[in-house]
Amino acid sequence: MILKRIGVCLTVCLLLGACNDAPPEVASTASASASAARPDDEFAVERPPVNPKWPTYLVGTETTYAPFEFRDSQGNPVGFEIDLLYAIAQNQQFNITILPNKRKDAQHYLDTGRHHIWVSAFQIGVDIDADYTDSLMDFYRVVAVLEHSPLKTAADLKQKIIAVNKNSSQETLNKAVTLTGTPDKVSHSETFVLAIHAVQGDKADGVLGDVNMLRAYDKDHAEVKFRYITINDPVGHIGFAVKKGNKELQRKLNQGLSAVKANGTYDALVKKWFGH
């Protein structure tokens, strides 16, 4: 089911194109049809029409982090952060154009002004040198193992195979090496879901990832029993990123975030995507 949801998550169907070369002040309507809701899709969400009187911001994201952002069965970017940003945009009266790209290039796209916002489950103050919004959600990493696994503690993970999403932050990749004791025991998957499947298929002993993503997977896959091993990972905070110094856009995003938290939209989206 999850594989169907992420669909062609690595397909390059929305490359940079002309929109990426547009200067920050130019409004774009390229996403109006590309991100339209599909009534036959499980995660279809009615996207607001482009308002020509509002500014449009170009939004970068890597769609391999279900349920934060991934592709639906039609190839459209969906997920918690996508829905949340649309809600904020409506509240603050701006349009957004979603441009799936590689997370590792986010710094470049923000610095050069080709993207105005990056949405990719970024850890505030850690993943890239940018200005961040207020916290969208707390997170910490754990290692998920199958319920019957003999592994109980972080010490048991030495010389075991740990699967990770290869597009994860460098901090996460380094953590996997520390836990296993060697980079040779870290299995790199194309997406987080495929990393989970590596454990289910006995190709890895555990998967390292954000506890929120693992709980969301558990919610939709009650037939699979996972147990979490804590690794003394400090609690971090997830936020949207904008170019360093873009205080006006940072302020808009924070004002919108406060508003959707106050009106109940935020809680509804958390329940929708994470089940709590």
Side-chain angles (χ1 to χ4, degrees):
M1 174 64 72
I2 289 289
L3 283 176
K4 179 182 177 183
R5 292 177 189 169
I6 60 174
V8 289
C9 67
L10 295 178
T11 304
V12 189
C13 67
L14 283 173
L15 286 174
L16 294 178
C19 288
N20 286 15
D21 293 322
E25 66 274 10
V26 174
S28 169
T29 60
S31 67
S33 60
S35 61
R38 309 287 180 139
D40 59 338
D41 193 274
E42 180 178 357
F43 286 101
V45 174
E46 196 65 41
R47 299 304 187 198
V50 170
N51 188 324
K53 296 181 180 180
W54 295 354
T56 294
Y57 296 113
L58 306 183
V59 180
T61 186
E62 179 157 12
T63 51
T64 62
Y65 294 90
F68 286 97
E69 43 270 329
F70 60 102
R71 303 273 193 146
D72 66 15
S73 61
Q74 302 296 325
N76 298 313
V78 295
F80 170 71
E81 287 189 292
I82 303 297
D83 280 358
L84 181 59
L85 186 55
Y86 269 110
I88 290 172
Q90 283 295 289
N91 180 268
Q92 292 295 298
Q93 299 187 341
F94 61 82
N95 306 303
I96 58 174
T97 296
I98 306 294
L99 299 171
N101 277 298
K102 291 294 185 182
R103 195 175 193 264
K104 65 181 178 64
D105 297 325
Q107 185 79 64
H108 168 72
Y109 288 131
L110 286 179
D111 287 349
T112 58
R114 296 176 73 175
H115 291 171
H116 307 106
I117 305 168
W118 253 84
V119 175
S120 198
F122 281 132
Q123 183 177 358
I124 293 175
V126 174
D127 286 333
I128 60 174
D129 184 22
D131 282 336
Y132 291 87
T133 61
D134 296 333
S135 177
L136 310 180
M137 181 176 287
D138 294 346
F139 87 102
Y140 59 92
R141 285 169 286 250
V142 297
V143 173
V145 298
L146 293 175
E147 190 174 48
H148 58 72
S149 171
L151 306 177
K152 305 293 183 184
T153 69
D156 296 333
L157 298 172
K158 290 294 183 184
Q159 296 301 311
K160 302 300 181 183
I161 298 176
I162 295 181
V164 296
N165 178 351
K166 73 174 188 178
N167 302 301
S168 296
S169 67
Q170 191 60 49
E171 185 179 30
T172 296
L173 301 178
N174 292 343
K175 177 73 74 173
V177 173
T178 299
L179 290 168
T180 62
T182 171
D184 296 336
K185 294 292 185 178
V186 179
S187 173
H188 296 85
S189 298
E190 290 291 336
T191 69
F192 186 68
V193 171
L194 291 179
I196 294 175
H197 288 176
V199 179
Q200 292 178 256
D202 293 326
K203 295 180 180 180
D205 298 293
V207 54
L208 173 65
D210 173 13
V211 69
N212 297 303
M213 299 171 78
L214 288 163
R215 286 173 176 165
Y217 186 88
D218 286 346
K219 175 178 72 73
D220 293 328
H221 295 80
E223 74 282 2
V224 182
K225 302 297 183 182
F226 281 106
R227 177 167 42 80
Y228 300 158
I229 296 176
T230 58
I231 56 174
N232 295 320
D233 197 46
V235 175
H237 307 280
I238 291 171
F240 297 147
V242 302
K243 183 179 180 180
K244 197 82 169 177
N246 193 343
K247 300 301 183 183
E248 179 183 355
L249 182 52
Q250 182 189 42
R251 177 184 55 78
K252 277 187 181 181
L253 292 170
N254 281 333
Q255 287 179 343
L257 178 59
S258 294
V260 299
K261 283 185 174 181
N263 67 21
T265 300
Y266 174 87
D267 288 340
L269 292 177
V270 170
K271 185 174 182 179
K272 171 186 175 180
W273 291 107
F274 298 98
H276 60 81

